[in-house]
């Protein structure tokens, strides 16, 4: 099968991570994979197998005027259309709101099946009025819409796509053999809470800092490490100073091997205000970490079984988040119990399990005639 994947850029991020896992999986299983980004290919964060054909279009030029904006969008569609057609795909898969719209417009009139994927709850994240209207008008032209959570499928997607063309496929977590090997620490050793994500309002790191402040005096041997970059870094560093947490909180930026950091930690906390299907949370659980997460409208409650393999707390509730952190920092036995259950997340969201869903969908849309369902698979 020839599969063409499209995404805006290939920097650090959950959607990009998921696409890298998918591309490499299909390449390992003898598919011909082309990965196209609107951005150039000079600053990729994730590694692709040599057999994956990587194309960076370099068409994300900033627009200063309305005329430039219109021209740049037309140019993106023209260049993307030519490149996709040249890849001769059996199926095209696009990730991410505006990229999905651009792909559908670029491939207008072509018969190639197009699967679009939404990674973040659209009810919580506006892409601008014009793009929202275009999404509403053109998503229905896709062959299938993939959403990453049950809530998105039942509460948002039916307003934009017929139910029989909506598919729930979570993001896959890639686990290496040594991922779950964690080191044990004595009670008097230094302990670490780790959090990971883009330093933006969505991720709620300000809430996490406030909650950690409430616990910090009781647990002087605990520190907080935050992985990721974003435009709120300076504001968050200022908040650390305001809360007098200097020396207790570290921002370590982007990390090429997050599991290496996770394996040395004692607790993972996700404080997001909204999500899609957070890979960072699944990855932390796969690494054998006890986890605490805000109960966003989509994502965490479909990953964590509250009280069994993690802890869910209300969104935007600093007090509840602080109490959950306090309870687990002070209870080694409970952390170990949750961690032992957390690793089983791989049984639900491992690469083999998730990619089986993608294989079935791709085979169906590539082989079926209008109104028919494929009777065989293109993946042998």
């Amino acid at each position: 099968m020839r599969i063409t994947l499209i995404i805006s850029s290939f920097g650090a991020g959950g959607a990009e991570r998921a696409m890298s896992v998918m591309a490499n999986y299909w390449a390992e299983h003898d598919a011909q994979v082309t990965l196209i980004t609107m951005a150039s290919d000079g600053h990729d964060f994730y590694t692709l197998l040599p057999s994956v054909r990587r194309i960076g279009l370099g068409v994300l030029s900033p627009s200063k005027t309305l005329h430039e904006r219109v021209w740049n969008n037309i140019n993106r569609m023209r260049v993307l259309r030519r490149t996709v057609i040249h890849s001769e795909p059996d199926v095209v898969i696009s990730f991410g709101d505006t990229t999905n719209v651009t792909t559908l417009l670029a491939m207008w009139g072509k018969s190639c099946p197009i699967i679009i994927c939404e990674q973040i709850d659209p009810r919580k994240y506006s892409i601008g009025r014009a793009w929202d209207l275009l999404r509403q008008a053109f998503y229905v032209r896709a062959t299938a819409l993939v959403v990453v959570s049950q809530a998105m499928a039942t509460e948002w997607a039916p307003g934009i796509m017929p139910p029989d063309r909506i598919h729930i496929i979570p993001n896959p977590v890639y686990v290496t053999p040594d991922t779950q090997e964690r080191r044990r620490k004595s009670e008097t050793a230094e302990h670490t809470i780790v959090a990971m994500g883009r330093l933006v309002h969505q991720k709620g790191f300000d809430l996490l800092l406030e909650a950690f402040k409430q616990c910090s005096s009781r647990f002087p041997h605990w520190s907080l490490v935050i992985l990721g970059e974003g435009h709120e870094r300076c504001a968050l560093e200022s908040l650390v100073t305001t809360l007098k947490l200097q020396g207790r909180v570290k921002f370590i930026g982007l990390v090429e091997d997050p599991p290496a950091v996770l394996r040395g930690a004692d607790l993972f906390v996700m404080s997001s205000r909204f999500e899609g299907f957070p890979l960072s949370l699944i990855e932390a659980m796969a690494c054998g970490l006890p986890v605490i997460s805000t109960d966003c409208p989509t994502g965490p409650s479909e990953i964590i079984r509250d009280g069994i393999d993690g802890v869910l707390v209300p969104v935007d509730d600093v007090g509840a988040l602080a109490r959950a952190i306090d309870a687990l920092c002070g209870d080694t036995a409970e952390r170990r119990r949750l961690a032992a259950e957390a690793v089983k997340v791989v049984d639900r969201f491992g690469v083999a399990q998730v990619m089986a869903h993608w294989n079935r969908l791709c085979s169906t849309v590539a082989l079926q005639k209008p109104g028919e369902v494929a009777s065989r698979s293109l993946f042998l």
Side-chain angles (χ1 to χ4, degrees):
M1 177 176 271
R2 296 184 299 273
I3 303 171
T4 296
L5 305 172
I6 305 171
I7 195 167
S8 178
S9 64
F10 211 53
E16 293 87 344
R17 175 59 170 160
M19 183 168 278
S20 72
V21 172
M22 292 166 60
N24 287 336
Y25 173 90
W26 276 321
E28 287 178 338
H29 289 77
D30 299 323
Q32 297 178 38
V33 182
T34 300
L35 194 155
I36 300 171
T37 56
M38 303 296 184
S40 61
D41 57 3
H43 299 90
D44 290 358
F45 188 79
Y46 298 105
T47 301
L48 297 171
L49 293 177
S51 57
V52 176
R53 186 185 179 206
R54 175 72 177 90
I55 301 174
L57 301 181
V59 291
L60 288 183
S61 305
S63 305
K64 297 179 180 179
T65 66
L66 176 60
H67 179 268
E68 285 186 354
R69 189 177 304 119
V70 171
W71 166 249
N72 285 336
N73 281 319
I74 291 173
N75 185 56
R76 287 181 193 119
M77 288 184 279
R78 178 181 60 83
V79 174
L80 179 61
R81 179 184 177 91
R82 182 179 64 230
T83 307
V84 172
I85 292 173
H86 188 261
S87 70
E88 299 181 331
D90 292 308
V91 61
V92 173
I93 301 172
S94 172
F95 269 30
D97 41 60
T98 59
T99 300
N100 293 338
V101 172
T102 301
T103 298
L104 291 169
L105 288 170
M107 298 305 293
W108 187 297
K110 303 301 292 185
S111 60
C112 176
I114 299 174
I115 301 171
I116 56 175
C117 183
E118 280 282 356
Q119 290 282 319
I120 299 179
D121 186 353
R123 297 169 301 167
K124 299 290 184 178
Y125 179 70
S126 174
I127 54 177
R129 179 168 174 76
W131 284 108
D132 278 333
L133 290 172
L134 287 169
R135 176 164 57 187
Q136 188 71 35
F138 288 97
Y139 265 28
V140 72
R141 292 184 173 273
T143 312
L145 168 64
V146 169
V147 292
V148 291
S149 73
Q150 179 68 48
M152 291 170 66
T154 58
E155 297 172 20
W156 170 76
I160 209 163
M161 180 74 78
D164 62 340
R165 287 155 59 192
I166 300 168
H167 303 264
I168 305 167
I169 306 181
N171 287 329
V173 60
Y174 176 71
V175 181
T176 58
D178 62 345
T179 293
Q180 295 167 317
E181 294 180 7
R182 296 184 56 242
R183 55 189 175 90
R184 289 286 182 90
K185 302 176 183 177
S186 69
E187 287 301 306
T188 57
E190 293 295 322
H191 295 275
T192 304
I193 300 169
V194 67
M196 180 164 58
R198 289 176 296 115
L199 306 184
V200 295
H201 180 73
Q202 172 200 344
K203 301 297 183 179
F205 289 119
D206 55 325
L207 307 175
L208 176 56
L209 291 172
E210 296 275 4
F212 181 64
K213 172 62 178 179
Q214 295 185 23
C215 308
S216 59
S217 60
R218 273 182 29 86
F219 301 100
H221 296 295
W222 285 74
S223 60
L224 172 62
V225 173
I226 299 175
L227 287 67
E229 282 292 353
H231 66 264
E232 286 198 352
R233 177 162 183 162
C234 289
L236 292 170
E237 289 175 335
S238 295
L239 181 57
V240 168
T241 301
T242 300
L243 295 173
K244 297 181 171 57
L245 289 173
Q246 301 96 316
R248 301 288 301 276
V249 178
K250 295 180 181 177
F251 294 89
I252 62 175
L254 297 177
V255 176
E256 290 188 6
D257 184 17
V261 178
L262 294 170
R263 287 194 297 271
D266 301 273
L267 176 64
F268 180 87
V269 179
M270 195 184 80
S271 51
S272 297
R273 292 179 165 92
F274 60 93
E275 283 287 347
F277 200 81
L279 265 179
S280 61
L281 179 60
I282 306 175
E283 195 164 37
M285 295 174 72
C287 286
L289 275 176
V291 298
I292 299 169
S293 173
T294 47
D295 191 8
C296 304
T298 66
S301 64
E302 296 178 40
I303 299 168
I304 292 176
R305 296 168 295 172
D306 190 25
I308 298 174
D309 54 12
V311 176
L312 293 171
V313 300
V315 178
D316 278 320
D317 191 331
V318 172
L321 185 58
R323 289 190 294 273
I325 294 172
D326 188 284
L328 287 187
C329 285
D331 193 338
T332 303
E334 179 66 358
R335 293 200 307 273
R336 289 176 178 171
R337 184 189 71 80
L338 290 173
E341 291 295 323
V343 295
K344 299 176 184 177
V345 75
V346 177
D347 297 335
R348 292 180 287 150
F349 306 119
V351 174
Q353 291 82 355
V354 172
M355 293 309 296
H357 294 294
W358 274 108
N359 285 348
R360 284 193 292 271
L361 177 57
C362 289
S363 292
T364 297
V365 302
L367 288 171
Q368 74 183 33
K369 296 178 182 179
E372 295 181 353
V373 176
S375 60
R376 64 184 179 88
S377 175
L378 286 179
F379 294 93
L380 303 178

